[in-house]
């Protein structure tokens, strides 16, 4: 049933297709937008249009950026000897926030998942391989998510890259900093024990 | 810090201003939009613009609708003897879904809340009063939310309208249908006892 009129119903429907937004949130957001000053609502719409128009994949690291190559790939100050492989731009942003990694990134845009029908050909692995020829490169850090799909992708990449005589590493699994052991799951505790280091 | 480039950062920022959307969800939604087929992203932007342009307050009930008067106020089949007063269009939609109410609505767009600086003048009470003159009207049902603000608004309206010799009613408080008494809060249990009816 349409209690609001056709345009409002359409707005609610379009919003409810966004990830993490159910029909109730979509209603709430729709009425928020309708109550915004006109310019604010138009700004939002224009930003969506502009972003979708201008943002492209960086042909080097596959990040979504408004420049190609993106500003990280272009940055002369970064260490061209290391590439960190992540599943998505959010993971890259998370590592950038740490300021601990000075190398380059490669964004796969997904992970291998036979269950969801995602094969290695469907994520940006081919594009990664073309980057491995450079003289300077000496290490690929695999920072896919600690999930079944992320681990499978890490294994797959390691088997693919090791024969090229490039060091392949995986970020450590263990107990999160600041966490309480009581609330850490068993798999993580086991991995933490397994990965123990001498002090 | 801007890890994504200026346009993407702006999109994330605009999205994170929407109600119920934090910075993480905003990131997630932004990348979803950037990965959409172009037309789908433009559809969303256009719907926002169109909705904000065409949707207006219905001058009778103050509902946000694309017609003025809205289709409910125009509907000849509805009972013009009753007006249900609600805080927002979502409450109206919730009652419409029940198909139990055949009268007209009045949307206040808020509730009186001295704490948040919302006085009676800031919600659509004046507009409600102008609707009370008609011969047919015999009952105003107050269906503001069961919150402190909603109750205060109900009390205020009842004092305002009763002297006009129009019946003013309030929707019942009680235990929700299908609920388990164990999980119902004490205030609701007390109100349910207070409002008990003979079988």
């Amino acid at each position: 049933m349409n209690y609001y009129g056709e345009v409002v119903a359409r707005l609610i429907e379009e919003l409810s297709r966004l990830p993490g937004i159910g029909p109730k949130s979509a209603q709430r957001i729709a009425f928020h937008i309708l109550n915004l000053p006109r310019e604010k609502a138009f700004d939002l719409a224009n930003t969506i249009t502009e972003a979708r128009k201008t943002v492209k994949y960086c042909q080097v690291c596959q990040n979504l950026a408004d420049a190609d190559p993106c500003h990280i790939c272009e940055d002369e100050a970064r260490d061209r000897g290391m590439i960190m492989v992540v599943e998505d731009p959010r993971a890259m942003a998370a590592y950038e926030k740490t300021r601990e990694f000075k190398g380059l990134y490669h964004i796969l845009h997904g992970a291998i998942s036979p269950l969801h029908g995602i094969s290695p050909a469907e994520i940006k692995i081919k594009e990664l391989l073309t980057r491995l020829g450079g003289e300077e490169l000496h290490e690929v850090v695999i920072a896919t998510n600690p999930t079944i799909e992320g681990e499978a992708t890490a294994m797959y990449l390691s088997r693919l890259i090791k024969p090229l005589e490039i060091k392949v590493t995986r970020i450590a699994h263990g107990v999160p900093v600041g966490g309480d052991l009581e609330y850490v799951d068993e798999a993580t505790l086991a991995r933490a024990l397994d990965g123990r280091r001498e002090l």
Side-chain angles (χ1 to χ4, degrees), chain A residues 61 72 78 83-84 92 95-96 101 104-106 131:
Chain A
C61 71
I72 293 180
R78 301 197 70 119
I83 293 180
M84 178 183 277
M92 183 213 72
Y95 256 104
E96 278 297 278
F101 182 73
L104 303 176
Y105 291 93
H106 188 84
R131 298 178 67 188

Side-chain angles (χ1 to χ4, degrees), chain A residues 11-77:
Chain A
L11 179 60
I12 293 172
E13 207 222 308
E14 299 239 5
L15 289 170
S16 67
R17 283 199 217 121
L18 298 174
I21 297 188
K24 293 265 171 183
S25 318
Q27 265 189 38
R28 199 166 150 216
I29 294 170
F31 285 110
H32 173 87
I33 290 173
L34 294 172
N35 279 314
L36 282 176
R38 280 183 157 235
E39 300 67 41
K40 297 271 176 197
F42 297 163
D43 279 353
L44 174 62
N46 293 337
T47 306
I48 290 172
T49 308
E50 194 193 334
R52 188 62 192 79
K53 263 187 196 154
T54 61
V55 174
K56 295 176 183 69
Y57 289 118
C58 164
Q59 290 306 308
V60 183
C61 71
Q62 309 298 322
N63 189 15
L64 283 163
D66 43 16
D68 178 19
C70 73
H71 68 286
I72 293 180
C73 290
E74 283 283 77
D75 189 347
E76 294 286 333

Side-chain angles (χ1 to χ4, degrees), chain A residues 26-186:
Chain A
Q27 265 189 38
R28 199 166 150 216
I29 294 170
F31 285 110
H32 173 87
I33 290 173
L34 294 172
N35 279 314
L36 282 176
R38 280 183 157 235
E39 300 67 41
K40 297 271 176 197
F42 297 163
D43 279 353
L44 174 62
N46 293 337
T47 306
I48 290 172
T49 308
E50 194 193 334
R52 188 62 192 79
K53 263 187 196 154
T54 61
V55 174
K56 295 176 183 69
Y57 289 118
C58 164
Q59 290 306 308
V60 183
C61 71
Q62 309 298 322
N63 189 15
L64 283 163
D66 43 16
D68 178 19
C70 73
H71 68 286
I72 293 180
C73 290
E74 283 283 77
D75 189 347
E76 294 286 333
R78 301 197 70 119
D79 177 4
R80 273 144 216 290
M82 289 176 93
I83 293 180
M84 178 183 277
V85 180
V86 293
E87 289 185 26
D88 52 49
R90 287 171 286 155
M92 183 213 72
Y95 256 104
E96 278 297 278
K97 276 180 204 152
T98 68
R99 295 165 184 269
E100 290 290 327
F101 182 73
K102 303 294 182 205
L104 303 176
Y105 291 93
H106 188 84
I107 288 108
L108 294 175
H109 292 282
I112 301 169
S113 172
L115 260 178
H116 299 97
I118 299 169
S119 73
E122 268 150 295
I123 60 177
K124 309 283 185 184
I125 291 179
K126 205 168 70 245
E127 291 78 358
L128 174 61
L129 296 182
T130 66
R131 298 178 67 188
L132 302 182
E135 288 251 313
E136 284 173 290
L137 185 71
H138 58 81
E139 183 174 346
V140 173
V141 184
I142 304 183
T144 50
N145 293 331
T147 57
I148 294 174
E149 292 80 12
E151 296 297 342
T153 308
M155 285 304 298
Y156 181 89
L157 288 176
S158 126
R159 280 185 205 156
L160 213 58
I161 301 170
K162 267 189 186 163
L164 307 175
E165 294 186 341
I166 295 165
K167 192 166 144 193
V168 181
T169 56
R170 177 88 174 105
I171 52 166
H173 290 81
V175 292
V177 177
D180 189 327
L181 284 199
E182 190 184 349
Y183 300 113
V184 177
D185 65 284
E186 288 152 45

